[in-house]
Every structure is written in C-alpha cells, then in structure tokens.
C-alpha cells in the first residue's frame, strides 16, 4: 500500500516527528545523530525486509551531537 512517500522519507518523518519520543532514547527532547541513524535504519530495514540498509559516513565526526 501507499505509505505517503519513500520508505527513507517516511522513516525520517517518524523519527523526527510522529514517533519522536520513541526514538529519543536518552529522553532529552533532542534527536542526536545516533538516534536518527538507528531509528531510520531500523524502520527502513524492517519495511524493506533487508533489501535496503541506510548507513552514515562519519569520517571526521567525533562523538554524538543533537541534530533536531
């Protein structure tokens, strides 16, 4: 069925908006890069049954930081 956007886009929306509290694992009211990545990855892998796996390149980033 139609999910109202691409799987990746819908996953972003869920983590940042409609299911934000679920993915804010440290409950600080912000979504850190690790929370965003882990949430989006989990949703996409589940919906695509492993056929698509998002990843993040962290070549010069150290530590975690708030994204939203």
């Amino acid at each position: 069925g139609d999910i109202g956007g691409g799987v990746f886009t819908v996953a972003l929306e869920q983590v940042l908006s409609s299911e934000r509290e679920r993915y804010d694992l440290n409950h600080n009211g912000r979504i850190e890069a690790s929370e965003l990545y882990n949430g989006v990855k989990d949703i996409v892998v589940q919906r695509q049954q492993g056929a698509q796996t998002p990843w993040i390149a962290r070549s010069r980033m150290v530590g975690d930081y708030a994204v939203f």
Side-chain angles (χ1 to χ4, degrees), residues 11 18 35:
S18 66
E35 294 168 332

Side-chain angles (χ1 to χ4, degrees), residues 34-52:
S34 63
E35 294 168 332
L36 178 64
Y37 170 70
N38 289 326
V40 168
K41 180 181 175 187
D42 289 348
I43 294 166
V44 171
V45 167
Q46 181 182 29
R47 286 200 172 190
Q48 296 292 80
Q49 299 174 343
Q52 178 182 358

Side-chain angles (χ1 to χ4, degrees), residues 19-38:
E19 295 186 34
R20 183 183 187 99
E21 288 183 20
R22 175 180 176 186
Y23 294 102
D24 180 11
L25 301 177
N26 60 5
H27 308 289
N28 68 354
R30 295 181 300 241
I31 297 294
E32 278 80 15
S34 63
E35 294 168 332
L36 178 64
Y37 170 70
N38 289 326

Side-chain angles (χ1 to χ4, degrees), residues 46-67:
Q46 181 182 29
R47 286 200 172 190
Q48 296 292 80
Q49 299 174 343
Q52 178 182 358
T53 303
W55 60 278
I56 186 170
R58 296 178 60 124
S59 62
R60 295 185 185 210
M61 293 184 282
V62 176
D64 213 358
Y65 53 92
V67 180

Side-chain angles (χ1 to χ4, degrees), residues 5-20:
V7 174
F8 185 82
T9 303
V10 170
L12 281 173
E13 185 280 327
Q14 286 180 301
V15 173
L16 297 176
S17 185
S18 66
E19 295 186 34
R20 183 183 187 99

